[in-house]
Amino acid sequence: MLFNIWVTTACNLKCKYCYEGAHKNGIQMSKETAIQVLDYICSKIEGVSGYIVVNYHGGEPLLNYEIIYLITEALKSRFPNKKILFGITTNAILMDEEKIEYLSKNFLYNLSISIDGGRIVHDYNRVTIQNKGTYNAVVKNIQPLLLKRKDLRARMTYTPDTVESLCESVKNIVELGFHDIVPVPDYSDKNWTEKHAEVLENEIDKLYQLYGKRTDINISLLNPDFHVAKGKCNAGIGEINIDCQGKLYPCTCMVARENYQIGHVLTPQEQKAMLILEKSEKADSDCEGCGLEHWCVGARCKLVNKILTGSFGTPPSFLCAETNALYKAYCKFGGR
């Protein structure tokens, strides 16, 4: 079971592709709400077998580090014999010795740093509120993290403006010491074209040439999951998203969209989650007959489709292009 917890919507950066937009409202989860969230999570996992994932979101989650610490320690204390895995994605600007030590020790599900490549590519989009590049500050803070956690993950966003540098960007990140790199396109960008899909395919080819035979480097683009069909979406059931005020949503992309709220931690509405899923599953899909629909995120994540395209059954165009590029590479190189 997965819980995504938004501890803040504030951020110390102004990244050009941010899904929160240019004007963040800066809500912080209070201690009172955090205690309510704790009680809710405890009630949900009391009888659950297997592992539980608690993933912290923002904004920049480390802006509300005290609440992260509170929830993490409380769950460890209440369930000492249950496997609870903690995760976080941070821009690393606020890292200090205390946070590095704590996160390295406790965040075993996912400890991710947002970094887009070398200095030029990273600073193109990932800037401060004063429009200053952040690459130097990020690199300075991740070095002590990499010494403690060899599995530190690089969460890398590429856009129509930076896709042609994808291979070089991954190479730069590997040279920093990362062994786990997840490049993800900004699907919401309206400027993707068929030409960009061709560029992506070429960049993936170059990545295979460099890293296709490396077993010590994990690059998600080189390990597309085409041998296992994707299951049904479990948003709102197996995955629950909790915002700064304790409101519940079925999917990360729907947080703050009141039409898709499924209650509050004090008054959950699980039936509404079931109805949202049922509606999305019944929607006609543009993916039928594609040939890759059993492996494609666009065919499974219809709630994401609804937010990005306005239709449950219509995935973002570049998601389709990306999937086809990955499949061509998979067939060419035989997977890894």
Side-chain angles (χ1 to χ4, degrees):
M1 193 164 197
L2 169 63
F3 297 92
N4 289 314
I5 307 175
W6 267 252
V7 293
T8 181
T9 59
C11 190
N12 50 349
L13 301 188
K14 191 176 69 173
C15 300
K16 297 174 185 176
Y17 49 59
C18 180
Y19 60 85
E20 291 276 2
H23 305 288
K24 303 172 180 65
N25 54 19
I27 299 173
Q28 301 270 39
M29 180 177 285
S30 67
K31 184 175 180 179
E32 178 184 8
T33 299
I35 292 171
Q36 294 171 351
V37 169
L38 268 170
D39 289 340
Y40 170 76
I41 292 176
C42 290
S43 72
K44 294 290 289 184
I45 69 176
E46 187 71 48
V48 174
S49 59
Y51 66 87
I52 309 298
V53 174
V54 175
N55 206 29
Y56 297 104
H57 277 267
E60 168 48 46
L62 292 184
L63 284 169
N64 205 359
Y65 177 71
E66 290 183 3
I67 293 300
I68 292 173
Y69 183 85
L70 184 156
I71 294 174
T72 302
E73 290 301 304
L75 286 172
K76 287 165 55 182
S77 175
R78 293 194 195 185
F79 297 98
N81 298 318
K82 192 176 287 290
K83 188 69 171 179
I84 303 178
L85 301 177
F86 299 96
I88 191 171
T89 300
T90 171
N91 60 38
I93 301 296
L94 298 175
M95 283 292 184
D96 55 29
E97 187 175 342
E98 175 191 347
K99 296 182 182 70
I100 288 171
E101 184 65 30
Y102 187 75
L103 296 177
S104 298
K105 180 180 178 181
N106 292 284
F107 281 60
L108 303 180
Y109 169 71
N110 165 38
L111 181 49
S112 296
I113 305 298
S114 296
I115 183 169
D116 288 353
R119 183 181 60 80
I120 293 175
V121 170
H122 179 91
D123 287 351
Y124 184 80
N125 284 308
R126 299 193 65 80
V127 295
T128 66
I129 295 170
Q130 294 78 29
N131 208 39
K132 302 294 184 181
T134 60
Y135 179 78
N136 290 339
V138 173
V139 170
K140 176 184 176 182
N141 286 339
I142 63 173
Q143 291 308 317
L145 263 175
L146 282 165
L147 291 174
K148 290 180 175 292
R149 288 284 295 273
K150 297 299 182 184
D151 63 340
L152 186 66
R153 189 177 80 157
R155 202 307 190 165
M156 171 187 168
T157 299
Y158 63 93
T159 70
D161 293 325
T162 62
V163 64
E164 63 183 11
S165 302
L166 180 60
C167 180
E168 185 64 25
S169 295
V170 171
K171 182 180 176 183
N172 288 333
I173 292 173
V174 170
E175 289 172 350
L176 287 174
F178 284 94
H179 292 262
D180 190 5
I181 303 167
V182 182
V184 180
D186 177 12
Y187 295 117
S188 65
D189 195 304
K190 305 299 183 183
N191 296 312
W192 290 110
T193 66
E194 290 184 9
K195 179 62 178 177
H196 291 121
E198 295 173 8
V199 172
L200 174 62
E201 188 175 343
N202 185 52
E203 292 297 301
I204 293 174
D205 282 356
K206 290 192 288 186
L207 284 171
Y208 265 107
Q209 299 303 325
L210 282 175
Y211 303 109
K213 296 182 179 180
R214 294 276 299 268
T215 58
D216 60 323
I217 303 292
N218 178 44
I219 301 166
S220 61
L221 288 173
L222 304 187
N223 295 290
D225 200 8
F226 286 107
H227 61 284
V228 178
K230 295 188 181 299
K232 288 187 176 182
C233 176
N234 66 348
I237 301 170
E239 173 189 337
I240 299 172
N241 294 265
I242 309 170
D243 79 359
C244 299
Q245 298 169 312
K247 297 175 183 177
L248 303 176
Y249 297 88
C251 177
T252 55
C253 69
M254 292 184 161
V255 172
R257 299 176 185 271
E258 300 306 316
N259 288 344
Y260 297 99
Q261 184 182 338
I262 54 174
H264 185 275
V265 291
L266 296 177
T267 54
Q269 299 173 15
E270 295 180 359
Q271 186 60 34
K272 186 173 180 181
M274 298 288 289
L275 291 173
I276 291 173
L277 270 184
E278 183 180 354
K279 183 178 180 181
S280 70
E281 289 171 1
K282 286 183 177 179
D284 292 334
S285 176
D286 295 347
C287 301
E288 293 179 10
C290 162
L292 298 178
E293 64 266 29
H294 299 298
W295 300 278
C296 182
V297 173
R300 178 181 187 269
C301 300
K302 293 184 177 181
L303 301 183
V304 175
N305 295 346
K306 179 67 173 176
I307 297 304
L308 293 178
T309 70
S311 168
F312 288 119
T314 305
S317 60
F318 195 71
L319 191 152
C320 297
E322 179 196 30
T323 302
N324 277 277
L326 289 171
Y327 186 69
K328 289 178 183 178
Y330 178 82
C331 292
K332 185 184 300 184
F333 297 100
R336 293 211 303 175

